[in-house]
């Protein structure tokens, strides 16, 4: 059995000692950017891309090995672990293969097959499978046992059939072949659940749709799974060559012309194996789509964090609102808060001109150069207000920009914001964030949990742990690619620098 470091070394095509050195550093808490920059001599020059891949594979393979150990211990406890089975389990390179091998030994509830075995019908089932010359009704006669509620040959055969169906459905190699063929040839279909047409109107494109399982784009797959999750859509796999699977199962057990066994194969496929494989493949597609979506979210976040900064210019931040007013915050060129206000240009107060006058007064007082407008509710009205201000007061030399305010409200109510602005009302903190993220997007956005920044359409549908881990890695890479200004950087930003921890960042 190969070690984790051997497997990763083969996948990355690098010497194993480099992988071992990198794993040791990761175990000690070192970040990928830190290792890539400051420990090149230890890892033999592994770059950040190789290290990110190594980190991801290390996490997966450790989970795989933990599950492998649990499975081996469970089978060992049952006293059914043979050298051959142990070797197969140790050689399993995916979680799917591991679970396939474990199926026959997985503790089961009181299934019909389990009850049939307890009634002593397993020898009958195995005999019928091995000797095709047996007449099922005649072979079953000797297994009639009134004490076990097996009072007819038909009941004995029914129990034997349940045992064989379970056996057919627990062959790892067979399942692997059937799964691969089903994945390559099946179509993913969706149907609207009766009576949900009106409630699920936004899923209308998927009320009766069909697409190749193998090639469906991740965004459409995630839309289908969202529809299923909220009970609007029913998903299933459709495959035309249904007989192929039955023939494959029959051939695996050398069944040719024995009608009773062929009927058992048919039932095993339709009611056991197909259901099992369909559930597995749908899970596989969902996980694959989530992984692709997370990559897109990471790319979007990367672009957002590395948006060109406006630089050190005094800025007014406007957090738009209608009834509750537009929150105003003025920060100087270093990002320090110097003034706040609330204006009410919209109904019900309609203080349009008074709002413009307030902004002009703040701009003159603090020598403001930029106006940053959040793109939330009331953004158009606020943009119109500022446009009118710029025309009427061209002498101020102001420039405006509408920016994403995603995550500003999350930051406003955070402990970090409370510590940074203890005496500022929570409703005004969002305007401060909006002003600062125009000056330096990276420095401000690192204060917000990455998943709250709004970097993808289905980010709330994907695995939260994997998303958080991926987005944190993007933030880490961006900060260390750009660097920070030590004179103005917050503790949040400094804490992302390679080699600095949160405590040291706060002290600086």
């Amino acid at each position: 059995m190969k070690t984790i470091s051997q497997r990763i070394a083969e996948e990355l095509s690098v010497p194993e000692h480099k992988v071992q050195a990198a794993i040791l550093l990761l175990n000690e808490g070192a970040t990928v950017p830190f290792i890539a920059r400051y420990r090149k001599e230890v890892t033999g020059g592994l770059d950040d891309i190789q290290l990110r891949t190594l980190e991801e594979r290390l996490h997966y393979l450790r989970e795989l090995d933990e599950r492998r150990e649990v499975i081996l211990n469970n089978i060992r406890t049952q006293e059914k672990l043979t050298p051959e089975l142990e070797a197969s389990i140790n050689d399993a390179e995916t979680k799917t293969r591991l679970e396939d091998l474990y199926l026959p030994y997985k503790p089961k509830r009181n299934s019909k097959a389990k009850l049939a075995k307890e009634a002593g019908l397993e020898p009958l089932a195995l005999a019928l499978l091995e000797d095709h010359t047996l007449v099922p009704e005649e072979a079953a006669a000797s297994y009639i046992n009134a004490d076990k509620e097996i009072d007819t040959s038909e009941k004995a055969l029914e129990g034997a059939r349940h045992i064989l169906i379970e056996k057919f459905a627990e062959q790892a190699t067979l399942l692997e072949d059937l799964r691969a063929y089903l994945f390559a040839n099946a179509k993913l279909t969706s149907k609207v659940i009766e009576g949900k047409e009106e409630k699920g109107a936004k899923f209308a494109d998927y009320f009766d749709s069909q697409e190749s399982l193998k090639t469906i784009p991740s965004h459409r797959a995630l839309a289908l799974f969202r529809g299923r999750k909220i009970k609007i859509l029913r998903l299933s796999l459709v495959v035309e060559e249904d007989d192929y699977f039955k023939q494959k199962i029959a051939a695996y057990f050398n069944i040719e012309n024995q009608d009773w066994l062929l009927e058992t194969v048919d039932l095993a496929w339709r009611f056991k194996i197909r259901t099992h494989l369909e559930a597995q493949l749908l899970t596989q597609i969902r996980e694959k789509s989530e992984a692709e979506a997370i990559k897109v979210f990471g790319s979007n976040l990367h672009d957002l964090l590395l948006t060109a900064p406006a630089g050190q210019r005094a800025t007014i931040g406007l957090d738009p609102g209608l009834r509750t007013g537009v929150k105003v915050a003025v920060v100087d060129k270093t990002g320090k808060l110097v003034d706040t206000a609330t204006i009410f240009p919209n109904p019900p107060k309609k203080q349009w001109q008074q709002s413009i006058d307030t902004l002009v007064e703040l701009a003159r007082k603090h020598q403001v150069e930029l106006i940053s407008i959040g793109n939330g509710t009331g953004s158009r009205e606020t943009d119109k207000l500022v446009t009118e201000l710029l025309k009427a007061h061209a002498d101020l030399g102001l420039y405006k920009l509408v920016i994403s305010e995603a995550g500003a409200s999350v930051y406003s109510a955070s402990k970090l914001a409370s510590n940074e602005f203890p005496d500022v009302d929570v409703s005004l903190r969002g305007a401060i964030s909006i002003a600062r993220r125009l000056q330096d997007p990276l420095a401000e956005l690192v204060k917000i949990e990455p998943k709250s920044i709004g970097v993808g359409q289905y980010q709330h549908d994907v695995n939260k742990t994997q998303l958080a881990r991926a987005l944190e890695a993007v933030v880490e890479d961006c900060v260390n690619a750009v660097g920070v200004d030590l004179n103005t950087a917050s503790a949040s930003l400094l804490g992302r620098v390679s080699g600095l921890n949160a405590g040291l960042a706060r002290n600086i």
Side-chain angles (χ1 to χ4, degrees), residues 372-385:
S372 178
I373 305 167
N375 65 348
T377 303
S379 178
R380 289 183 181 179
E381 293 82 353
T382 306
D383 186 43
K384 183 180 178 183
L385 177 80

Side-chain angles (χ1 to χ4, degrees), residues 90-203:
N90 283 330
D91 289 341
E93 295 184 352
T94 66
K95 293 176 182 177
T96 302
R97 173 67 176 171
L98 202 54
E99 296 301 331
D100 282 350
L101 290 166
Y102 184 42
L103 269 177
Y105 310 95
K106 201 169 187 176
K108 300 174 178 65
R109 297 176 182 174
N110 287 329
S111 65
K112 292 179 178 179
K114 183 179 179 182
L115 294 174
K117 287 178 181 177
E118 290 173 355
L121 296 174
E122 189 169 21
L124 171 62
L126 296 177
L128 291 170
L129 181 61
E130 292 166 8
D131 187 353
H132 298 178
T133 63
L134 292 175
V135 177
E137 290 75 12
E138 294 177 1
S142 59
Y143 287 88
I144 294 174
N145 186 341
D147 293 338
K148 298 285 187 178
E149 298 184 0
I150 310 294
D151 48 16
T152 64
S153 294
E154 288 73 18
K155 283 191 177 181
L157 286 176
E158 184 183 355
R161 174 165 278 161
H162 287 308
I163 293 169
L164 290 181
I165 286 174
E166 186 174 86
K167 183 177 179 65
F168 293 168
E170 293 179 344
Q171 304 301 312
T173 303
L174 175 63
L175 289 177
E176 195 169 21
D177 290 344
L178 297 179
R179 187 188 300 110
Y181 189 87
L182 189 60
F183 175 73
N185 295 278
K187 294 187 182 300
L188 177 56
T189 68
S190 64
K191 302 279 186 184
V192 64
I193 295 174
E194 191 174 347
K196 297 294 182 73
E197 291 83 358
E198 187 175 342
K199 182 181 177 182
K202 65 181 180 180
F203 292 95

Side-chain angles (χ1 to χ4, degrees), residues 225-410:
F225 288 116
R226 162 73 72 84
R228 183 178 71 168
K229 183 178 180 180
I230 61 176
K231 295 180 170 55
I232 299 297
L233 303 176
R234 184 177 288 108
L235 307 184
S236 61
L237 298 185
V238 173
V239 64
E240 294 177 2
E241 309 88 347
D242 218 41
D243 285 343
Y244 169 87
F245 300 94
K246 299 172 192 175
Q247 292 168 5
K248 197 79 174 172
I249 298 166
Y252 187 87
F253 290 98
N254 299 313
I255 300 169
E256 295 180 354
N257 300 313
Q258 218 282 9
D259 292 342
W260 186 86
L261 284 174
L262 289 173
E263 187 179 344
T264 303
V265 165
D266 178 65
L267 292 170
W269 165 246
R270 288 195 291 127
F271 298 110
K272 187 82 171 176
I273 301 175
R274 183 189 177 115
T275 306
H276 173 69
L277 294 181
E278 182 172 304
Q280 276 192 329
L281 286 174
L282 288 178
T283 299
Q284 180 181 316
I285 288 298
R286 179 177 55 76
E287 290 176 348
K288 178 172 173 280
S289 299
E290 286 183 5
E292 290 176 7
I294 287 172
K295 283 184 180 178
V296 173
F297 300 157
S299 176
N300 292 345
L301 179 61
H302 178 275
D303 293 344
L304 182 61
L305 292 175
L306 296 186
T307 301
Q312 295 190 342
R313 301 180 185 183
T315 303
I316 289 177
L318 300 179
D319 188 357
L322 297 175
R323 182 182 57 81
T324 57
V326 178
K327 307 303 182 293
V328 184
V330 186
V331 298
D332 68 13
K333 62 182 183 179
T334 67
K336 179 184 177 182
L337 177 67
V338 292
D339 219 331
T340 62
T342 302
I343 56 177
F344 298 89
N346 304 303
K349 293 191 177 182
K350 298 183 180 179
Q351 298 172 353
W352 190 266
Q353 188 56 48
Q354 187 177 333
S355 298
I356 291 177
D357 293 343
T358 299
L359 293 177
V360 169
E361 182 183 344
L362 290 171
R364 290 190 190 282
K365 179 181 177 181
H366 300 289
Q367 298 180 318
V368 171
E369 296 181 57
L370 302 170
I371 298 180
S372 178
I373 305 167
N375 65 348
T377 303
S379 178
R380 289 183 181 179
E381 293 82 353
T382 306
D383 186 43
K384 183 180 178 183
L385 177 80
V386 175
T387 300
E388 190 171 313
L389 182 158
L390 297 184
K391 286 181 181 178
H393 299 275
D395 60 301
L396 291 173
L398 293 169
Y399 292 91
K400 71 176 176 71
L401 196 68
V402 177
I403 67 167
S404 169
E405 64 174 46
S409 59
V410 174

Side-chain angles (χ1 to χ4, degrees), residues 43-62:
T43 66
L46 292 180
D47 60 35
D48 55 344
I49 296 174
Q50 290 173 311
L51 287 167
R52 279 289 175 215
T53 304
L54 185 154
E55 186 181 40
E56 289 172 10
R57 288 297 290 156
L58 178 64
H59 182 79
Y60 178 88
L61 291 173
R62 279 180 170 168

